[in-house]
Amino acid sequence: MGDQRNDLVEDLPPKRAQDFSEEEDWPGYFGAVQGKGPRETLVFALDLFEQEGRGGGLAVDIAAGEGRDTVELLERGWSVVAMDNHPGAFPLLWAQVSEELKPGVKTVEVDFAKMEIPECDLVNASFALPFCKPEHFPRLWGKIVAAIWPGGRFAGQFFGDRDSWASIPNRTHHSREEVTKLLEGFEIEMMREEEKDDPPDVRNPKHWQLFHVVARKL
Ligand SMILES: C[S@@+](CC[C@H](N)C(=O)[O-])C[C@H]1O[C@@H](n2cnc3c(N)ncnc32)[C@H](O)[C@@H]1O
């Protein structure tokens, strides 16, 4: 009987980053995304700063994880405060930062509920905000908005209310109207809505509704 069960487990398609995210198995997630490049929202925001001749400011990377975006920021001349509450994140992040860039990054192990966000040019929150509990989200968002200097930017993702994970307790999802309302006081430079179904042959197919956002504070 035990052997049969093992056979069944082995027949499943392999876990991917999204399967670890669904379970909030962050070490599993960090392993699955190791070596991946920066998020498109971050790259879009950094390109806009550079077009304005404003590269190399101060960024706060919220829920930075193993550091894929923090590394990009550092390599493009930015100073970064990287925040995450998982103790497994920052050893992986530091391991990717060259000695000469290490003075440019400060890591803060902290929960969304207790984040104090320093004033900055850019708040980056890649695939991060949906994991903040709904009761803590309004305060966190208020701190994000207050921290960004006029002319600075927010980059990151919101998850939609039609996304499969909206029904998981303690997740924060938003309708398009709610995202637009959150971004009052910003000029929206990117708002790419992505809605799709996973193919049926993946381990745990889900419906995705994501908003990829870059916005400039007025
Ligand atoms: C899907 S990962 C995104 C990581 C990274 N920003 C990226 O784009 O790959 C979500 C991150 O949120 C962090 N996280 C989850 N719950 C958190 C909480 N309550 N406070 C702070 N960080 C949290 C996890 O440790 C993880 O690094």
Side-chain angles (χ1 to χ4, degrees):
M1 180 65 188
D3 285 340
Q4 277 174 5
R5 213 174 310 148
N6 279 344
D7 286 350
L8 286 176
V9 170
E10 281 163 19
D11 281 348
L12 287 173
K15 278 193 178 184
R16 298 176 302 156
Q18 69 187 67
D19 300 304
F20 295 112
S21 282
E22 177 164 1
E23 298 166 7
E24 301 192 27
D25 170 355
W26 300 123
Y29 174 87
F30 300 149
V33 299
Q34 210 164 7
K36 300 234 182 216
R39 300 291 188 179
E40 58 153 337
T41 37
L42 174 69
V43 171
F44 190 88
L46 293 184
D47 289 349
L48 288 173
F49 279 113
E50 285 174 14
Q51 284 159 24
E52 294 166 352
R54 297 171 59 211
L58 174 64
V60 179
D61 193 4
I62 294 204
E66 46 68 59
R68 59 197 290 177
D69 284 350
T70 293
V71 168
E72 176 76 2
L73 281 157
L74 292 168
E75 289 179 350
R76 289 176 72 160
W78 287 67
S79 301
V80 187
V81 179
M83 300 186 177
D84 202 286
N85 78 335
H86 198 286
F90 295 138
L92 297 169
L93 185 156
W94 282 114
Q96 298 179 70
V97 181
S98 63
E99 282 309 313
E100 76 219 46
L101 293 178
K102 279 185 176 158
V105 62
K106 179 182 166 196
T107 53
V108 185
E109 198 178 299
V110 61
D111 194 276
F112 289 127
K114 298 209 167 133
M115 283 181 180
E116 295 303 331
I117 304 172
E119 291 185 1
C120 59
D121 299 282
L122 170 66
V123 171
N124 183 61
S126 292
F127 291 81
L129 299 177
F131 302 99
C132 178
K133 290 184 180 169
E135 66 263 36
H136 297 139
F137 182 82
R139 196 150 166 262
L140 175 64
W141 182 251
K143 287 180 182 176
I144 289 172
V145 173
I148 301 170
W149 285 313
R153 290 186 168 89
F154 168 81
Q157 281 70 26
F158 296 91
F159 278 32
D161 56 356
R162 292 195 295 273
D163 189 280
S164 301
W165 293 349
S167 60
I168 299 177
N170 291 325
R171 297 285 176 92
T172 298
H173 287 236
H174 298 91
S175 66
R176 190 182 183 96
E177 293 68 35
E178 287 167 339
V179 174
T180 307
K181 180 120 186 90
L182 289 171
L183 294 170
E184 276 175 6
F186 287 81
E187 176 197 348
I188 297 173
E189 299 172 304
M190 176 198 285
M191 167 77 97
R192 188 168 72 77
E193 183 172 352
E194 189 180 3
E195 186 156 15
K196 62 178 185 186
D197 287 306
D198 275 330
D201 56 342
V202 303
R203 188 182 181 102
N204 191 9
K206 71 177 285 264
H207 183 74
W208 292 91
Q209 190 196 10
L210 294 168
F211 301 98
H212 303 275
V213 171
V214 176
R216 183 178 185 275
K217 192 165 170 192
L218 299 170

